[in-house]
Amino acid sequence: MTNRTLPANHTGASIRISANGDRIRLGLSGRLDAPGTAFVWDDAITPVRKGSYAHVDADCADITYLDGSGVALLLKLREEAALSGGKLELINIKEEHQNLIDLTWNCDLPQLKKFKERRGFAVAVGESAGEILDGLYEMVAFVGESSVMIIQSIRHPGLVRWKDVTLSCINIGVDSLFIITLLGFLMGLIMSFQSAVSLERFGGEIFVPNMLGLVMFREMGPLVTAILLAARSGSAFAAEIGTMKINEELDALTTMGLSPMRFLVVPKLLSSMAMVPLMTIFFNIASLVGGAVVMLSLGFPLVTFTSRVFSYLDYGDFAGGMFKALIFSILVAGVGCLRGMQTRNSASAVGLSTTSAVVSGIIMIAFADGIFAMAFYYLGI
Amino acid sequence: MDENKPVISIRNLTCGYDDTVIVKNINFDVNKGEIFVILGGSGCGKSTLLKNMIGLYQPMNGQIFFGDDELTNASGDKRDMIIRKFGVMYQMGALFGSMSLLQNVMLPLEEFTNLPREAMTLVAKSKLAMVNLENATYKLPATISGGMKKRAAIARAMALDPGILFLDEPGAGLDPISSAELDELILNLSRTLGITFVIVSHELESIYKTADRVIMLDKDVKSIVAEGDPKHLRDTSENILVKRFFHRLPSLGKTGQKKYVPSRNKDTR
């Protein structure tokens, strides 16, 4: 339905219709700009569409102003007239309006293509499978290339841009210190408190530190840190590299003979690998502080808490957690960089690859964590 | 090296994306020290050809020689050696946004030379001075104008003193003064340093001013339609495509030659 009110300062637009046999006369008058055209649109089109007149005359004598919208109305009238077997004629048209109309009058109007591609189920499945395989192939190639790069940079440390690594370490690690400590503290506090409430019924609050140490060091520490890395840094990597790709900076690197992998990806991977285990340690310690607060408030002395935590935790738990953190960091940073490199050429593509970096990062963490849980169980770690 | 031998030779080159061929089976040479312009209308494959020539894309067929070295099948150190022979200025400059102009120009020096730091800074500053950017040395790319970015990109491309410079649409998006300054700069560098320029452009004025030789590509022919001195082509060519380009004639006459045929398509109802 078109808008049937005119704005307050509009000088008005109207239409007079007189039909006579197979001839209809539309007397258009007033200001046919966008609001004016909207105002008369239905009144003008409906009679032409409903009746089938051989002659449709549009009397343009009283049009005071005509712009693109008005011309669109005339074009639509012509189309409607033609569809019902008639012919539109413009009469009494002013020269300045005629000039405007001439710009578009003789062109074919672009038509929406009513063209729906029908694909068989098998073709659709095949194409999706192909896409998934392509994605996997790219990922495998990327993993291979980055492993080679990392090994190369360990063997020839001179090739690494250590300045970038340091900057990246500050971005990834130092700047996230506050949030990672806060998260650790709160999670330690909340988990201890909740489990203390449940265990209190059995008089077992004393076991809270055992649970807390194990859960934090083995599971939550690496997991939460890696998720934080995906959200904070994985997305940033994808956005940074993606924007560089759009600005042709990656091409510029390549034609300078510098590999974008070595230049952009390796520093990010190395700094993530260095920072995430450290961040995990901070998280773990903060969570113990949170747990200690709960235990102290329940009336246990601090020494009970610490001795129970450390008697139950062994070095293997700590090392396992650190190893997981290391692997997660490679996955998250790697997928962030990969998504950045895969960015296509538009600004919205950067947004997509950022989102995709976070989502794929978290999915990979989840998968890897599952694999670790199984492996550690069977290996008895 | 033989003075008369072309510095770049393109042989039977076919390039495009995926399965769309954009330019087909073309051959040309670029001679030492000349300003060579690849021109043509939008979408004719100028930039694609350039990206193939600098090794960003793998051509579908054919060979690209820099002197005696073939870029198309080179890999590893050989490829690096060939790539080191030229510098590239991208359309929007492609300066690294996190680095100052000085750092941008110094980057190739840091990576590929073992000059002392002091010397590198000096080389980089002199390159920036060469393109009249000595006052913007420590500025970030985001804080300078489009024309300055392009000049800085030329300075960076020249950092390792390559014999060949590729420029992708140097005049695009510049005001007439900056564009003229850039032309002057190109002529100056060509005259004083003997650098060979390969320029992709469609700005007629700067082509007349700078180009020694041009090739013209066309979207429909998918190949070279003309080759030679631009002014000569403008004045003598009988080829309708060349005439249209150099005399700026629109390909469609005045609108209004087609008859309106009502379509039975109901989509617009």
Side-chain angles (χ1 to χ4, degrees), chain B residues 47-58:
Chain B
S47 295
T48 312
L49 176 61
L50 183 88
K51 286 185 173 164
N52 275 273
M53 286 171 76
I54 59 181
L56 275 182
Y57 300 146
Q58 191 65 25

Side-chain angles (χ1 to χ4, degrees), chain A residues 76 79-80 161 255 262, chain B residues 83 90 111-112 268-269:
Chain A
K76 183 69 184 166
E79 186 186 282
E80 291 295 346
R161 293 180 55 86
T255 42
R262 183 171 74 76
Chain B
I83 280 178
Y90 290 85
E111 292 293 323
F112 298 117
T268 46
R269 280 203 167 190

Side-chain angles (χ1 to χ4, degrees), chain A residues 180 220-230 275-277 279-280 283 325:
Chain A
I180 201 76
M220 296 305 280
L223 194 68
V224 174
T225 319
I227 291 178
L228 187 82
L229 180 79
M275 284 299 115
V276 172
M279 284 156 71
T280 311
F283 179 93

